[in-house]
Structures are given as C-alpha cells and as structure tokens.
Amino acid sequence: MENMKKESKKQIEGLKEIITKHSDQIAAIEETVNDIDGRRMDNDTQIEFLLKQNNHLLEKVEDLESRSRMNNIRTYGVSEKIEGSNMILFLNEWLPKILTTVRFIIVFINTGKT
C-alpha cells in the first residue's frame, strides 16, 4: 500500500510537471498569437492607407493626363501613324512643307480654359 502511494505520488508529480510545461507552452502561444494579431491590425491599417493613397494617385494621374491632352495640337488632313516612330523628326520635315502649301489647313484647338 505504501508503495502504491509512492507510485501514485510520483505519477501525480509527473503529471504536474507536464501540466506546468503545457501551461507555459500555452502562455507562449497566446503571447505569439497576440503579437501576430497586433501585427495584422497594423498591416490592415497600412493596407487601408496605401489603398487610399493609390486611389488618390490614380485620380491625380488621370487628371494630369486629361490636362496634358488639353494642350495637344490637333492637325487635320494627316493620316494616322504617318509620323512613324519619331514624331519630332516627322514634324521638322512635315510642318515647313505644310505651312507653305495652301491645300492643307492646320487647325489649332485649345480645349483648355483661358
């Protein structure tokens, strides 16, 4: 009987150690989960900020593109893609010819507000 008590006590002590280890592991896991959750919340905040900033920048780019189109010079009587890959070279050759020719009318349209 005494031997059984000792054996039971030994088993109980072993179980206490296991429970203590598990409690420590659970506490460490809870701390890690809380840390990860905090980081996730920070990431969510940063993502929300970046999405708003991205939308703002997209709107700004669209506005700038629209404004830059307002300053374009439109020419009539010129075929599409006639300029090839070098617009500046084309205009340097084409404009002097056209400006001296009466057959073509160049219309400059300023669609911007003055």
Side-chain angles (χ1 to χ4, degrees), residues 59-76 107-114:
E59 289 172 2
K60 192 170 187 174
V61 165
E62 186 177 329
D63 180 57
L64 290 171
E65 286 176 348
S66 295
R67 289 175 189 266
S68 73
R69 279 187 223 105
M70 287 181 194
N71 295 324
N72 285 355
I73 296 173
R74 294 189 183 127
T75 56
Y76 295 92
V107 180
F108 297 92
I109 299 174
N110 182 358
T111 57
K113 295 178 182 175
T114 56

Side-chain angles (χ1 to χ4, degrees), residues 32-48:
T32 302
V33 167
N34 287 336
D35 186 43
I36 290 170
D37 191 44
R39 284 190 218 154
R40 185 195 56 80
M41 290 174 66
D42 289 343
N43 288 344
D44 287 349
T45 302
Q46 290 175 346
I47 288 170
E48 184 179 341

Side-chain angles (χ1 to χ4, degrees), residues 3 5 7 10 17 28 31 41 52 67 74 76 114:
N3 202 12
K5 279 184 179 180
E7 188 63 36
K10 197 175 188 181
E17 285 179 28
E31 187 176 327
M41 290 174 66
K52 285 179 182 177
R67 289 175 189 266
R74 294 189 183 127
Y76 295 92
T114 56

